[in-house]
Amino acid sequence: MDVFELGDRSGAARAALSKAIADDYQAQTAGLSILECLAVSNPAIAIRYVEDLNDLAWQGSSVIRYAAQNVLQQLELEIPSAPAKVPLPAFYRLHFPETPKPEISLSGDVTPPGEPLPDTEDPFDLTRMYHHVLKRLASDVELSFDNLVRRMAQLMRIVAPPETWSAKIEREIYRHNERIGLKLTYRRPRSLVAQHAFGLLVSELCDAEVVEWIPTYVREILVVADPPGNLVNILPRPDWLYIPAAEELGKYP
């Protein structure tokens, strides 16, 4: 963002952004986050990417669709027409044997602070953070919650191979950042894959017209950028502002 605001005289930032929004889910997420902010702070730059945004406005993952459409709306441009209706994948109608769904993760109640979530192949464990919205979707579209859970877990492996978002990879990223002294926050690989898997699931339901684009209660799950928050000037936290830590945060900080 700073490079764009300063002028990007070499064109390197513009080239990197173009490459990102033509790349995989992870790169597109980062690129569209920048474009969402540019659409607010510097529309003249964001509007150069209209052709790319039109191509992404109905891309597979609803995460990408929603971000691209947000930029187009911010630029007061028309969103391309939705694609023609397609059949709902048969997976959603399959019947599975009843599966235990414990409220507590199979790996335990609380993951120690800073530790990645343990690896698991259990679909209900993989999608646990999305159960509240999957249950509402299941009710609205009259499909099995179990099937939505299993489909999302299946889509996680389609978004990226499990070895690329394992606990081992997350620890390697953490150690790498520590070694180079990088203190910036970053998206954990598994959380990004899960978000896009959920986005693919929503797209499948919308493209089959099982649910209208886009249910209001799923929007916050698909967000990749918050321009008012992302663009605000960061100020040091005053000493008198108390921040709770550790056990004070409770079970779900």
Side-chain angles (χ1 to χ4, degrees):
M1 283 294 300
D2 290 341
V3 175
F4 281 110
E5 298 296 345
L6 292 171
D8 186 27
R9 295 179 181 177
S10 69
R14 192 162 58 250
L17 183 53
S18 295
K19 181 181 178 182
I21 57 180
D23 207 333
D24 60 14
Y25 289 117
Q26 183 174 2
Q28 286 180 334
T29 302
L32 284 167
S33 297
I34 293 172
L35 276 177
E36 282 206 63
C37 293
L38 284 173
V40 173
S41 67
N42 202 327
I45 295 177
I47 206 165
R48 299 172 186 170
Y49 297 88
V50 169
E51 189 174 336
D52 297 301
L53 291 165
N54 285 333
D55 290 340
L56 296 174
W58 294 104
Q59 198 257 22
S61 170
S62 291
V63 175
I64 301 300
R65 293 185 184 187
Y66 190 47
Q69 291 180 18
N70 281 343
V71 178
L72 290 170
Q73 287 180 328
Q74 181 64 38
L75 296 173
E76 299 182 352
L77 297 173
E78 187 175 349
I79 295 172
S81 300
K85 178 181 177 180
V86 297
L88 187 68
F91 188 97
Y92 290 95
R93 302 293 183 186
L94 295 176
H95 292 276
F96 294 97
E98 184 62 28
T99 307
K101 295 180 280 294
E103 290 299 319
I104 296 175
S105 170
L106 297 175
S107 57
D109 195 3
V110 178
T111 301
E115 274 294 299
L117 292 171
D119 294 329
T120 178
E121 294 187 1
D122 182 86
F124 293 92
D125 246 8
L126 277 175
T127 60
R128 189 169 298 279
M129 295 300 292
Y130 289 80
H131 284 188
H132 66 294
V133 70
L134 289 172
K135 286 176 180 176
R136 184 162 179 184
L137 266 176
S139 175
D140 285 357
V141 302
E142 298 182 349
L143 290 172
S144 163
F145 165 68
D146 289 33
N147 286 41
L148 295 186
V149 163
R150 292 176 186 277
R151 181 57 174 165
M152 180 176 162
Q154 185 183 60
L155 289 169
M156 286 180 69
R157 293 173 171 83
I158 291 175
V159 171
E163 60 269 20
T164 66
W165 40 272
S166 66
K168 176 185 175 184
I169 288 295
E170 189 169 320
R171 289 191 184 95
E172 288 177 359
I173 293 173
Y174 177 81
R175 285 195 293 266
H176 172 74
N177 290 347
E178 281 286 298
R179 285 195 296 268
I180 63 176
L182 186 64
K183 298 298 182 181
L184 297 175
T185 56
Y186 62 94
R187 283 293 299 273
R188 298 192 178 210
R190 179 163 153 183
S191 78
L192 184 62
V193 169
Q195 184 188 30
H196 280 291
F198 178 75
L200 286 168
L201 182 145
V202 171
S203 294
E204 289 182 338
L205 297 176
C206 290
D207 290 350
E209 297 182 5
V210 174
V211 65
E212 291 185 2
W213 174 263
I214 180 176
T216 55
Y217 56 88
V218 308
R219 291 177 183 174
E220 64 181 33
I221 310 294
L222 305 177
V223 167
V224 297
D226 173 29
N230 296 145
L231 294 171
V232 71
N233 290 325
I234 304 299
L235 299 175
R237 173 169 60 86
D239 294 335
W240 53 262
L241 184 61
Y242 175 72
I243 303 296
E247 290 80 7
E248 296 175 287
L249 291 170
K251 185 185 293 186
Y252 302 111

